[in-house]
PDB file of all heavy atoms in Angstrom:
ATOM      1  N   VAL A  79     -13.448 -29.310 -65.890  1.00 89.00           N
ATOM      2  CA  VAL A  79     -13.684 -28.231 -66.845  1.00 89.00           C
ATOM      3  C   VAL A  79     -14.621 -27.206 -66.206  1.00 89.00           C
ATOM      4  O   VAL A  79     -15.750 -27.512 -65.836  1.00 89.00           O
ATOM      5  CB  VAL A  79     -14.311 -28.778 -68.151  1.00 89.00           C
ATOM      6  CG1 VAL A  79     -14.615 -27.633 -69.106  1.00 89.00           C
ATOM      7  CG2 VAL A  79     -13.384 -29.777 -68.794  1.00 89.00           C
ATOM      8  N   LYS A  80     -14.115 -26.011 -66.029  1.00 90.00           N
ATOM      9  CA  LYS A  80     -14.916 -24.947 -65.408  1.00 90.00           C
ATOM     10  C   LYS A  80     -15.607 -24.087 -66.466  1.00 90.00           C
ATOM     11  O   LYS A  80     -16.733 -23.643 -66.266  1.00 90.00           O
ATOM     12  CB  LYS A  80     -14.029 -24.063 -64.528  1.00 90.00           C
ATOM     13  CG  LYS A  80     -13.426 -24.786 -63.335  1.00 90.00           C
ATOM     14  CD  LYS A  80     -14.479 -25.034 -62.291  1.00 90.00           C
ATOM     15  CE  LYS A  80     -13.903 -25.716 -61.067  1.00 90.00           C
ATOM     16  NZ  LYS A  80     -14.906 -25.971 -60.044  1.00 90.00           N
ATOM     17  N   LEU A  81     -14.891 -23.812 -67.551  1.00 91.00           N
ATOM     18  CA  LEU A  81     -15.483 -23.066 -68.664  1.00 91.00           C
ATOM     19  C   LEU A  81     -15.247 -23.871 -69.931  1.00 91.00           C
ATOM     20  O   LEU A  81     -14.135 -24.360 -70.160  1.00 91.00           O
ATOM     21  CB  LEU A  81     -14.834 -21.687 -68.800  1.00 91.00           C
ATOM     22  CG  LEU A  81     -15.002 -20.701 -67.643  1.00 91.00           C
ATOM     23  CD1 LEU A  81     -14.198 -19.429 -67.920  1.00 91.00           C
ATOM     24  CD2 LEU A  81     -16.453 -20.347 -67.408  1.00 91.00           C
ATOM     25  N   LYS A  82     -16.289 -23.995 -70.734  1.00 89.00           N
ATOM     26  CA  LYS A  82     -16.160 -24.831 -71.941  1.00 89.00           C
ATOM     27  C   LYS A  82     -16.631 -24.017 -73.138  1.00 89.00           C
ATOM     28  O   LYS A  82     -17.772 -23.545 -73.173  1.00 89.00           O
ATOM     29  CB  LYS A  82     -17.024 -26.079 -71.743  1.00 89.00           C
ATOM     30  CG  LYS A  82     -17.146 -26.966 -72.938  1.00 89.00           C
ATOM     31  CD  LYS A  82     -16.058 -28.010 -72.974  1.00 89.00           C
ATOM     32  CE  LYS A  82     -16.272 -28.948 -74.152  1.00 89.00           C
ATOM     33  NZ  LYS A  82     -15.043 -29.473 -74.667  1.00 89.00           N
ATOM     34  N   PRO A  98     -26.319 -16.410 -64.152  1.00 85.00           N
ATOM     35  CA  PRO A  98     -25.878 -17.789 -63.985  1.00 85.00           C
ATOM     36  C   PRO A  98     -27.050 -18.692 -63.556  1.00 85.00           C
ATOM     37  O   PRO A  98     -27.521 -18.595 -62.432  1.00 85.00           O
ATOM     38  CB  PRO A  98     -24.830 -17.698 -62.871  1.00 85.00           C
ATOM     39  CG  PRO A  98     -25.104 -16.436 -62.163  1.00 85.00           C
ATOM     40  CD  PRO A  98     -26.021 -15.595 -62.975  1.00 85.00           C
ATOM     41  N   VAL A  99     -27.505 -19.514 -64.490  1.00 78.00           N
ATOM     42  CA  VAL A  99     -28.595 -20.440 -64.142  1.00 78.00           C
ATOM     43  C   VAL A  99     -28.085 -21.434 -63.100  1.00 78.00           C
ATOM     44  O   VAL A  99     -28.785 -21.812 -62.179  1.00 78.00           O
ATOM     45  CB  VAL A  99     -29.113 -21.162 -65.408  1.00 78.00           C
ATOM     46  CG1 VAL A  99     -30.217 -22.148 -65.061  1.00 78.00           C
ATOM     47  CG2 VAL A  99     -29.638 -20.129 -66.394  1.00 78.00           C
ATOM     48  N   ASN A 100     -26.840 -21.863 -63.266  1.00 77.00           N
ATOM     49  CA  ASN A 100     -26.147 -22.495 -62.138  1.00 77.00           C
ATOM     50  C   ASN A 100     -24.747 -21.891 -62.052  1.00 77.00           C
ATOM     51  O   ASN A 100     -24.271 -21.285 -63.009  1.00 77.00           O
ATOM     52  CB  ASN A 100     -26.136 -24.019 -62.225  1.00 77.00           C
ATOM     53  CG  ASN A 100     -25.324 -24.528 -63.396  1.00 77.00           C
ATOM     54  OD1 ASN A 100     -24.352 -23.908 -63.797  1.00 77.00           O
ATOM     55  ND2 ASN A 100     -25.751 -25.637 -63.956  1.00 77.00           N
ATOM     56  N   SER A 101     -24.159 -22.032 -60.870  1.00 77.00           N
ATOM     57  CA  SER A 101     -22.935 -21.244 -60.638  1.00 77.00           C
ATOM     58  C   SER A 101     -21.663 -21.960 -61.074  1.00 77.00           C
ATOM     59  O   SER A 101     -20.575 -21.444 -60.864  1.00 77.00           O
ATOM     60  CB  SER A 101     -22.845 -20.867 -59.165  1.00 77.00           C
ATOM     61  OG  SER A 101     -22.776 -22.032 -58.400  1.00 77.00           O
ATOM     62  N   HIS A 102     -21.786 -23.147 -61.680  1.00 83.00           N
ATOM     63  CA  HIS A 102     -20.581 -23.867 -62.086  1.00 83.00           C
ATOM     64  C   HIS A 102     -19.782 -23.014 -63.089  1.00 83.00           C
ATOM     65  O   HIS A 102     -20.290 -22.680 -64.158  1.00 83.00           O
ATOM     66  CB  HIS A 102     -20.970 -25.214 -62.714  1.00 83.00           C
ATOM     67  CG  HIS A 102     -19.780 -25.988 -63.213  1.00 83.00           C
ATOM     68  ND1 HIS A 102     -19.064 -26.824 -62.392  1.00 83.00           N
ATOM     69  CD2 HIS A 102     -19.162 -26.010 -64.412  1.00 83.00           C
ATOM     70  CE1 HIS A 102     -18.069 -27.346 -63.086  1.00 83.00           C
ATOM     71  NE2 HIS A 102     -18.106 -26.861 -64.314  1.00 83.00           N
ATOM     72  N   GLY A 103     -18.579 -22.689 -62.713  1.00 88.00           N
ATOM     73  CA  GLY A 103     -17.709 -21.921 -63.610  1.00 88.00           C
ATOM     74  C   GLY A 103     -17.717 -20.424 -63.380  1.00 88.00           C
ATOM     75  O   GLY A 103     -16.886 -19.710 -63.917  1.00 88.00           O
ATOM     76  N   PHE A 274     -25.934 -18.131 -68.588  1.00 87.00           N
ATOM     77  CA  PHE A 274     -24.753 -18.957 -68.333  1.00 87.00           C
ATOM     78  C   PHE A 274     -25.166 -20.251 -67.620  1.00 87.00           C
ATOM     79  O   PHE A 274     -25.808 -20.209 -66.567  1.00 87.00           O
ATOM     80  CB  PHE A 274     -23.801 -18.128 -67.461  1.00 87.00           C
ATOM     81  CG  PHE A 274     -22.545 -18.814 -67.026  1.00 87.00           C
ATOM     82  CD1 PHE A 274     -21.490 -19.000 -67.918  1.00 87.00           C
ATOM     83  CD2 PHE A 274     -22.381 -19.250 -65.718  1.00 87.00           C
ATOM     84  CE1 PHE A 274     -20.316 -19.598 -67.505  1.00 87.00           C
ATOM     85  CE2 PHE A 274     -21.201 -19.846 -65.304  1.00 87.00           C
ATOM     86  CZ  PHE A 274     -20.165 -20.019 -66.199  1.00 87.00           C
ATOM     87  N   THR A 275     -24.832 -21.366 -68.196  1.00 85.00           N
ATOM     88  CA  THR A 275     -25.128 -22.664 -67.555  1.00 85.00           C
ATOM     89  C   THR A 275     -23.949 -23.605 -67.735  1.00 85.00           C
ATOM     90  O   THR A 275     -23.417 -23.716 -68.839  1.00 85.00           O
ATOM     91  CB  THR A 275     -26.355 -23.341 -68.224  1.00 85.00           C
ATOM     92  OG1 THR A 275     -27.341 -22.359 -68.459  1.00 85.00           O
ATOM     93  CG2 THR A 275     -26.932 -24.442 -67.375  1.00 85.00           C
ATOM     94  N   ASN A 276     -23.580 -24.268 -66.690  1.00 85.00           N
ATOM     95  CA  ASN A 276     -22.516 -25.285 -66.735  1.00 85.00           C
ATOM     96  C   ASN A 276     -21.260 -24.812 -67.473  1.00 85.00           C
ATOM     97  O   ASN A 276     -20.711 -25.523 -68.313  1.00 85.00           O
ATOM     98  CB  ASN A 276     -23.042 -26.560 -67.416  1.00 85.00           C
ATOM     99  CG  ASN A 276     -24.118 -27.211 -66.580  1.00 85.00           C
ATOM    100  OD1 ASN A 276     -24.070 -27.168 -65.344  1.00 85.00           O
ATOM    101  ND2 ASN A 276     -25.107 -27.784 -67.222  1.00 85.00           N
ATOM    102  N   GLY A 277     -20.837 -23.607 -67.182  1.00 88.00           N
ATOM    103  CA  GLY A 277     -19.589 -23.106 -67.762  1.00 88.00           C
ATOM    104  C   GLY A 277     -19.692 -22.659 -69.205  1.00 88.00           C
ATOM    105  O   GLY A 277     -18.667 -22.487 -69.875  1.00 88.00           O
ATOM    106  N   ARG A 278     -20.890 -22.487 -69.697  1.00 89.00           N
ATOM    107  CA  ARG A 278     -21.072 -22.063 -71.091  1.00 89.00           C
ATOM    108  C   ARG A 278     -22.075 -20.931 -71.177  1.00 89.00           C
ATOM    109  O   ARG A 278     -22.979 -20.851 -70.352  1.00 89.00           O
ATOM    110  CB  ARG A 278     -21.658 -23.201 -71.918  1.00 89.00           C
ATOM    111  CG  ARG A 278     -20.688 -24.147 -72.507  1.00 89.00           C
ATOM    112  CD  ARG A 278     -21.458 -25.257 -73.180  1.00 89.00           C
ATOM    113  NE  ARG A 278     -20.528 -26.212 -73.759  1.00 89.00           N
ATOM    114  CZ  ARG A 278     -20.535 -26.579 -75.020  1.00 89.00           C
ATOM    115  NH1 ARG A 278     -21.445 -26.080 -75.831  1.00 89.00           N
ATOM    116  NH2 ARG A 278     -19.675 -27.441 -75.486  1.00 89.00           N
ATOM    117  N   ILE A 279     -21.904 -20.108 -72.184  1.00 89.00           N
ATOM    118  CA  ILE A 279     -22.933 -19.108 -72.462  1.00 89.00           C
ATOM    119  C   ILE A 279     -23.958 -19.785 -73.376  1.00 89.00           C
ATOM    120  O   ILE A 279     -23.624 -20.249 -74.473  1.00 89.00           O
ATOM    121  CB  ILE A 279     -22.330 -17.872 -73.175  1.00 89.00           C
ATOM    122  CG1 ILE A 279     -21.313 -17.168 -72.270  1.00 89.00           C
ATOM    123  CG2 ILE A 279     -23.435 -16.903 -73.611  1.00 89.00           C
ATOM    124  CD1 ILE A 279     -21.866 -16.452 -71.084  1.00 89.00           C
ATOM    125  N   GLN A 280     -25.176 -19.880 -72.901  1.00 85.00           N
ATOM    126  CA  GLN A 280     -26.211 -20.557 -73.689  1.00 85.00           C
ATOM    127  C   GLN A 280     -26.811 -19.619 -74.747  1.00 85.00           C
ATOM    128  O   GLN A 280     -27.124 -20.049 -75.836  1.00 85.00           O
ATOM    129  CB  GLN A 280     -27.341 -21.052 -72.779  1.00 85.00           C
ATOM    130  CG  GLN A 280     -26.905 -22.101 -71.779  1.00 85.00           C
ATOM    131  CD  GLN A 280     -26.547 -23.425 -72.451  1.00 85.00           C
ATOM    132  OE1 GLN A 280     -26.876 -23.648 -73.600  1.00 85.00           O
ATOM    133  NE2 GLN A 280     -25.845 -24.281 -71.722  1.00 85.00           N
TER     134      GLN A 280
END
Side-chain angles (χ1 to χ4, degrees):
Chain A
V79 177
K80 296 286 182 180
L81 296 176
K82 173 90 176 150
V99 179
N100 66 31
S101 61
H102 177 87
F274 177 76
T275 318
N276 294 326
R278 273 175 181 235
I279 297 290
Q280 296 291 345

